[in-house]
Amino acid sequence: MISINISDLIWTIINFLLLCFLLNHFLYKPVLRFMDDRQARMDAKLSEEKDAREQAAENDRRLEAEKAKSCEEAKRILSQTDAEIEERHNAALLQARADAAKDRKDAEADLEVRREKTAEKLSEAAPELAGLLAGHLLGKE
Amino acid sequence: MGAFHYHIIYGLINFAILAAGLYFIGRKLIPKLFGGNRQKIQDSLDAADQAVVNARTIRERIEAANTRGTEECAEILRNAETTAGAEKQRAEEADRHTADSLKADTEKEIQYQTRTARRALTRTALMDITARAASLMGQPQYQKARENLTETLIQRAEKELVITRGELNAYRERKGDVPVELRSAEPLQPEQVSRIRNAVLRALRDAGETPKEEEISVTEITDESLIGGTYLRVGDTVYDRTLKSMLERASEEVSILEHDDEEMVQALKEELRKVSNGADIYQTGTVSSVSDGICRITGVSDAMAGELIEFNRDLRGMVMDLEKDNIGVVLLGDYTDLQEGDKVRRSGRIIEVPVGEDLIGRVVDSLGNPIDGAGEIHTTETRPIESPAPGVIARRPVSVPMQTGIKAIDALIPIGRGQRELIIGDRQTGKTAIALDAIINQKGKDMICIYVAIGQKESTVAGCVQKLREHDAMDYTIVVCASASESAPMLYIAPYAGAAMGEYFMHKGKDVLIVYDDLSKQAVAYREISLLLHRPPGREAYPGDVFYLHSRLLERAARLGEEYGGGSMTALPIIETQAGDISAYIPTNVISITDGQIFLETDLFNSGVRPAVNVGLSVSRVGGSAQLGAMKQVAGRLRMDLAQYRELAAFSQFGSDLDKATRATLHRGDRMTELLKQGQYAPMEAADQVISIYAVNEGFADGIELKQIPSYEKGLIPWVNGRWPELHARINSGKKLDDDELKKLKALIASYTENFQT
């Protein structure tokens, strides 16, 4: 006949509890700890890659900004140059026109003096030249 | 053994059984249950390891990008400074050039004013001198000398008087009547009149006639204003040995321009000694009718076709029609005061125009008279407007390019020096724009340009001249203007006048570019003249020789051999079509004469393709012989590629799915068509064209948006030129680019494209 031995039952329960305790302390917890550590390491590595990507994107943005700044600076240099060129050109043109106007004026004044002198000379020589022409037209075949 | 020991042994057995049971049951079950999870864990571990590697790679890339970025920024600033430096240098040179040009213009103006003043002084002095001489010669002490003039004329008539063929015919027509007119300041002796009559009789006998003395009717007129000497007219021929005409000739013959003021009196003495004092022999005629710019003249029996006829008050005419008893003369000027009965005079010369360097920079009419208000033109030479074209032996093949600066033309329809290339299209399609751009592009290329405006509005011509001045093109250009308000004869002779001016330079070994804008209007003017001269009309009412009108003009454009000077004249005639009809009479005539045509289409123009060149219908019969080696290299297959593109573009309009190759062709063709568009008054250097076309042809622009192509091109050229300044000289030497040079060019274009895209 089957009978329940209370003392065996109690020892079995104690045995089981002791086993559970030992398994929990020496197996279950270390294994979980190991798994957690492993997961943490994996997460850390993945996080490192994510950080690196974010850093790369941030760096790209920074480089774009610097490049845009350089382009702006280049544009500024070129537009400043254009402005300088325009200013120099206007000044040079003004000077050239002023010089040309002065030369023209001087030349016109000189021309007028010479014209009057020459007209006077021609007028004085006119009778002689008329005589020369008349003689030439009448004198030869 | 006690119960305790049984418990321990049972416990141990229990434990062993449990352990064995767990082992044997779980050995396969546990891996089966946890295997998948293990793979997942392994994958996660691998992914984590890979993430570390990726992170390392990304960090390395960051470092490289930082280095590259720093270099690029420095490069951008360096380029900007280099470009700024180059721009400053170019601007300084341009300013120096402007100042030098202004100075040169001022000097020219001063010289011109000096010459004009000297000319005015000479004229005034001459008027005074001739008036004094006239007064002097009329005095009694010169009576004998004056009579001697008549005596020498009569002696000369007795020896040399001849009856010309025209007068002989007139004599026969009149059945034996020869009118003789004698004018003198003092009445002639009967014996002198008799000697004249005998001289005429002798001349008629020498001509094979048997005249009677009563056929010679002599009219004697005494005119004191002649001062001295005698005026003899036999039929139409005049023998003028009067002092009055000698003095008038003296005023015309004497010209002093080059002498200093100090030497002017002495120079005038020398010129007066050289004045002709012999008889002035010429033929006269009488105006019998004037209408619609055509004048009929009787007399001038020996007039030549194309001869210049002189009317009074500076009016000139050209002989166009020779008939039995009169000649038809087209009037070249204002004939409002011309009346029936007015006397005219043969010049003995075929109509001619002044030619020379002094015409450069001026706007003149068809007779070479200045119309730009900048004063007289002092030339010493003239050329007849009609002259024979150079013969076969005098020519050599066209092999030197004439760059128009327009990509579509220089790449696909190249023009050479000495070629005739027709520009044909409807109104407002950009024909004149192409011609003007070609002229503007000749700056610094040692080419004389002539723009002949025929039948255009004066406002349009003024606009063209203004544009040429803005681009400094008038420094080497002559503008011949026969505007819409001029008479038909002026429009008719304008192209020939331009050709004569061009031939002067061509025969001196220079290169000339002449634009006839446009020949359609010249044909219409010629039609008008021919109809007024009652010549029979042909097709479209044009006279039968309208082909010859253009062929003899365009044949004068040629490239001469070295032994004939080595010069050339390149002609760009323009023809206006109606509704794109290039099969009409005049267009087909001129197409058959020229060495190719540039056909401009209205549809292309309206769709924004400018210049609106229809590449399919346009051709240059000289072709690659007139292209730089590098241009031929890059544009060699361009024509075929564009033809293929046009076909596929038409096909793709049906909307069917297209294969990859077709899409690529269309994509490339769109970009090339966009590249070939060009703004007005913005001609490009040949080397720059080679760079642009090469870039697009090799596919570098395939990734560029269509609307960005102009800015892509704009940045590409200074990029390449700044990094390879020797490329221009290399391309302009005419040789092809070798493989290394092509590789270098590709690398430069690639780096620019990458920069452009980012």
Side-chain angles (χ1 to χ4, degrees):
Chain A
M1 184 170 123
I2 297 170
S3 65
I4 299 172
N5 190 336
I6 299 295
S7 84
D8 285 342
L9 180 67
I10 291 170
W11 279 118
T12 303
I13 289 170
I14 291 171
N15 197 9
F16 178 72
L17 289 174
L18 184 64
L19 186 62
C20 283
F21 171 76
L22 290 172
L23 278 176
N24 181 52
H25 189 261
F26 290 106
L27 181 64
Y28 187 59
K29 276 193 176 154
V31 166
L32 280 181
R33 203 177 316 127
F34 168 77
M35 284 169 65
D36 285 343
D37 286 347
R38 189 180 62 186
Q39 188 61 40
R41 279 199 304 279
M42 283 190 331
D43 287 345
K45 286 177 183 175
L46 289 172
S47 166
E48 191 185 340
E49 188 194 358
K50 188 178 165 197
D51 287 343
R53 282 194 197 281
E54 279 172 7
Q55 203 180 345
E58 179 62 33
N59 199 54
D60 285 345
R61 277 194 293 275
R62 185 185 61 80
L63 286 175
E64 276 300 316
E66 279 181 15
K67 198 171 168 188
K69 204 171 149 194
S70 299
C71 289
E72 279 302 314
E73 178 64 16
K75 267 188 207 165
R76 189 197 63 78
I77 292 172
L78 290 174
S79 67
Q80 192 178 349
T81 304
D82 286 343
E84 276 175 27
I85 286 172
E86 179 73 23
E87 200 182 315
R88 271 190 217 166
H89 169 74
N90 289 339
L93 193 62
L94 226 78
Q95 183 62 40
R97 281 185 181 153
D99 291 343
K102 184 176 174 298
D103 289 343
R104 202 178 294 120
K105 196 171 166 194
D106 291 343
E108 278 169 7
D110 179 51
L111 182 64
E112 184 57 28
V113 167
R114 282 176 14 216
R115 196 196 65 77
E116 280 176 13
K117 234 161 99 179
T118 308
E120 204 180 309
K121 269 193 194 159
L122 285 171
S123 183
E124 283 168 8
E128 184 196 345
L129 292 169
L132 178 72
L133 178 62
H136 174 70
L137 293 179
L138 288 170
K140 293 185 185 174
E141 173 60 30
Chain B
M1 220 187 276
F4 180 71
H5 294 108
Y6 285 124
H7 284 296
I8 290 171
I9 291 167
Y10 285 140
L12 287 171
I13 292 170
N14 204 15
F15 178 76
I17 291 167
L18 185 64
L22 279 174
Y23 174 74
F24 285 111
I25 293 168
R27 178 175 68 160
K28 284 188 183 164
L29 185 63
I30 288 173
K32 197 171 163 188
L33 280 174
F34 294 103
N37 206 27
R38 196 177 165 183
Q39 186 57 44
K40 271 192 213 166
I41 292 169
Q42 189 57 44
D43 288 344
S44 298
L45 286 169
D46 291 341
D49 289 335
Q50 186 58 41
V52 171
V53 171
N54 287 349
R56 199 178 309 131
T57 309
I58 288 169
R59 275 194 291 275
E60 284 167 5
R61 276 193 202 152
I62 289 172
E63 274 180 35
N66 281 341
T67 310
R68 206 172 45 243
T70 310
E71 282 173 11
E72 274 179 16
C73 289
E75 172 92 6
I76 288 170
L77 288 173
R78 227 178 4 253
N79 287 342
E81 277 159 18
T82 307
T83 306
E87 289 291 317
K88 273 187 192 162
Q89 207 172 356
R90 246 196 308 274
E92 273 173 28
E93 279 174 23
D95 287 341
R96 256 196 308 273
H97 173 74
T98 305
D100 291 342
S101 290
L102 264 174
K103 197 170 173 189
D105 286 345
T106 306
E107 280 172 11
K108 230 193 258 184
E109 197 184 318
I110 292 168
Q111 278 173 11
Y112 173 78
Q113 281 179 357
T114 307
R115 286 160 87 184
T116 306
R118 281 187 191 146
R119 201 175 172 91
L121 277 172
T122 310
R123 280 202 199 286
T124 310
L126 272 173
M127 278 170 57
D128 185 23
I129 290 165
T130 50
R132 285 172 189 262
S135 166
L136 196 60
M137 289 188 290
Q139 288 172 6
Q141 65 260 40
Y142 295 109
Q143 168 85 21
K144 206 166 162 49
R146 291 198 297 271
E147 285 169 2
N148 201 38
L149 291 175
T150 303
E151 180 55 33
T152 49
L153 178 69
I154 295 172
Q155 284 175 7
R156 196 170 167 191
E158 284 173 330
K159 284 187 213 158
E160 298 172 15
L161 194 144
V162 292
I163 302 293
T164 62
R165 190 165 59 178
E167 282 164 10
L168 197 59
N169 292 336
Y171 167 77
R172 287 169 187 159
E173 286 291 313
R174 287 193 296 264
K175 293 192 176 46
D177 177 37
V178 179
V180 174
E181 183 181 336
L182 276 168
R183 288 172 182 264
S184 54
E186 286 140 6
L188 293 174
Q189 305 294 325
E191 179 252 336
Q192 288 174 316
V193 176
S194 174
R195 285 167 68 189
I196 294 286
R197 186 178 279 113
N198 290 337
V200 174
L201 284 169
R202 193 259 317 140
L204 280 167
R205 283 187 209 109
D206 290 347
E209 298 296 316
T210 50
K212 301 188 185 64
E213 199 167 311
E214 53 270 22
E215 288 172 356
I216 313 299
S217 57
V218 179
T219 309
E220 291 174 57
I221 298 169
T222 305
D223 181 359
E224 285 179 9
S225 69
L226 298 176
I227 306 171
T230 301
Y231 168 102
L232 165 66
R233 188 168 69 85
V234 179
D236 296 328
T237 308
V238 170
Y239 303 83
D240 189 344
R241 197 146 193 254
T242 60
L243 287 171
K244 181 183 174 188
S245 80
M246 283 191 223
L247 287 171
E248 283 167 2
R249 271 187 288 154
S251 299
E252 285 164 17
E253 285 173 17
V254 171
S255 65
I256 299 176
L257 297 174
E258 305 302 323
H259 297 87
D260 289 339
D261 304 327
E262 296 298 320
E263 303 169 355
M264 199 170 277
V265 172
Q266 188 56 37
L268 203 44
K269 278 185 190 169
E270 298 295 329
E271 291 289 319
L272 288 173
R273 285 194 187 103
K274 285 192 256 175
V275 161
S276 60
N277 56 3
D280 187 14
I281 303 172
Y282 56 89
Q283 275 197 335
T284 62
T286 310
V287 174
S288 61
S289 71
V290 178
S291 80
D292 300 321
I294 305 291
C295 173
R296 290 275 162 195
I297 296 173
T298 54
V300 284
S301 39
D302 295 288
M304 300 180 283
E307 185 177 345
L308 190 71
I309 300 290
E310 294 169 355
F311 296 79
N312 52 8
R313 290 180 293 279
D314 293 329
L315 177 62
R316 301 281 183 271
M318 185 170 76
V319 177
M320 289 284 290
D321 218 23
L322 296 170
E323 292 191 6
K324 197 172 164 191
D325 51 3
N326 67 79
I327 61 172
V329 172
V330 290
L331 298 166
L332 303 170
D334 179 19
Y335 57 92
T336 322
D337 296 334
L338 195 60
Q339 295 177 11
E340 184 195 344
D342 280 354
K343 294 289 180 197
V344 307
R345 176 182 162 145
R346 273 183 65 196
S347 65
R349 313 186 300 273
I350 300 298
I351 187 165
E352 55 193 24
V353 287
V355 294
E357 269 84 14
D358 282 346
L359 283 164
I360 295 174
R362 302 301 301 270
V363 183
V364 298
D365 66 9
S366 308
L367 294 172
N369 302 315
I371 56 172
D372 52 7
E376 288 183 40
I377 295 175
H378 306 301
T379 55
T380 51
E381 285 187 53
T382 56
R383 276 187 78 92
I385 62 169
E386 296 268 11
S387 73
V392 172
I393 303 298
R395 295 174 189 248
R396 59 179 166 154
V398 173
S399 61
V400 176
M402 195 286 295
Q403 304 288 349
T404 62
I406 300 170
K407 285 175 280 190
I409 294 173
D410 291 341
L412 299 164
I413 319 153
I415 303 172
R417 297 189 181 194
Q419 187 178 348
R420 294 86 45 89
E421 183 78 9
L422 173 65
I423 302 173
I424 183 168
D426 280 0
R427 58 178 191 84
Q428 299 296 321
T429 48
K431 301 185 294 293
T432 304
I434 287 180
L436 289 182
D437 278 352
I439 292 174
I440 289 168
N441 197 48
Q442 302 316 310
K443 186 174 175 180
K445 293 188 172 62
D446 198 25
M447 178 91 88
I448 305 291
C449 297
I450 303 173
Y451 178 74
V452 183
I454 308 157
Q456 294 194 39
K457 292 182 288 196
E458 298 207 25
S459 60
T460 308
V461 178
C464 292
V465 171
Q466 179 60 24
K467 272 296 164 209
L468 292 174
R469 264 195 233 284
E470 279 172 18
H471 292 89
D472 295 332
M474 285 303 288
D475 294 344
Y476 51 86
T477 303
I478 303 169
V479 175
V480 179
C481 176
S483 65
S485 61
E486 301 268 10
S487 58
M490 296 292 267
L491 270 65
Y492 162 61
I493 66 169
Y496 298 108
M501 292 171 192
E503 278 171 338
Y504 168 83
F505 295 102
M506 179 172 73
H507 288 293
K508 285 197 177 301
K510 296 204 174 156
D511 294 318
V512 179
L513 169 66
I514 184 163
V515 176
Y516 304 109
D517 188 4
D518 59 66
L519 292 184
S520 317
K521 293 192 179 63
Q522 189 212 17
V524 167
Y526 186 57
R527 180 173 62 185
E528 181 181 326
I529 295 168
S530 300
L531 290 172
L532 288 169
L533 289 169
H534 305 294
R535 292 181 181 175
R539 179 178 166 186
E540 294 181 27
Y542 288 104
D545 62 344
V546 74
F547 182 94
Y548 183 52
L549 172 78
H550 292 142
S551 66
R552 70 180 189 270
L553 171 69
L554 295 173
E555 277 296 303
R556 289 160 74 175
R559 186 173 179 226
L560 299 179
E562 286 297 338
E563 56 276 19
Y564 294 91
S568 71
M569 187 153 75
T570 308
L572 294 180
I574 294 176
I575 288 282
E576 184 177 293
T577 51
Q578 303 296 326
D581 182 16
I582 58 170
S583 61
Y585 187 30
I586 301 299
T588 47
N589 275 358
V590 183
I591 286 171
S592 65
I593 295 167
T594 52
D595 305 318
Q597 65 271 356
I598 297 168
F599 183 51
L600 302 174
E601 263 190 353
T602 307
D603 291 342
L604 285 174
F605 188 88
N606 292 337
S607 63
V609 178
R610 297 171 196 182
V613 179
N614 182 323
V615 177
L617 290 177
S618 304
V619 72
S620 166
R621 299 186 205 192
V622 170
S625 310
Q627 241 177 349
L628 295 171
M631 179 64 89
K632 210 183 332 187
Q633 205 175 0
V634 307
R637 62 165 209 262
L638 183 57
R639 186 181 257 273
M640 262 192 325
D641 290 346
L642 285 174
Q644 201 180 14
Y645 160 71
R646 280 194 305 277
E647 264 195 51
L648 290 174
F651 183 68
S652 72
Q653 284 177 358
F654 291 112
S656 55
D657 287 337
L658 302 168
D659 60 289
K660 194 176 168 193
T662 305
R663 278 202 305 276
T665 305
L666 287 172
H667 190 82
R668 181 79 58 89
D670 285 338
R671 273 136 193 82
M672 185 52 77
T673 304
E674 192 65 30
L675 181 80
L676 291 177
K677 290 180 188 174
Q678 195 167 343
Q680 209 177 351
Y681 313 124
M684 280 177 76
E685 289 292 327
D688 295 342
Q689 293 181 30
V690 168
I691 295 166
S692 304
I693 292 172
Y694 186 70
V696 178
N697 223 16
E698 293 298 312
F700 289 101
D702 285 353
I704 308 289
E705 291 287 324
L706 260 185
K707 59 178 186 285
Q708 287 185 314
I709 294 288
S711 55
Y712 173 79
E713 185 194 13
K714 196 174 171 189
L716 172 66
I717 289 163
W719 175 279
V720 172
N721 288 334
R723 284 156 183 74
W724 193 4
E726 302 82 20
L727 178 62
H728 262 239
R730 183 78 182 89
I731 290 173
N732 288 333
S733 69
K735 296 196 179 87
K736 290 189 180 183
L737 298 174
D738 57 36
D739 291 338
D740 290 334
E741 285 163 336
L742 284 173
K743 216 182 284 184
K744 184 174 176 183
L745 183 59
K746 268 187 188 167
L748 282 172
I749 296 172
S751 68
Y752 169 78
T753 308
E754 192 187 322
N755 215 28
F756 185 85
Q757 281 172 321
T758 51

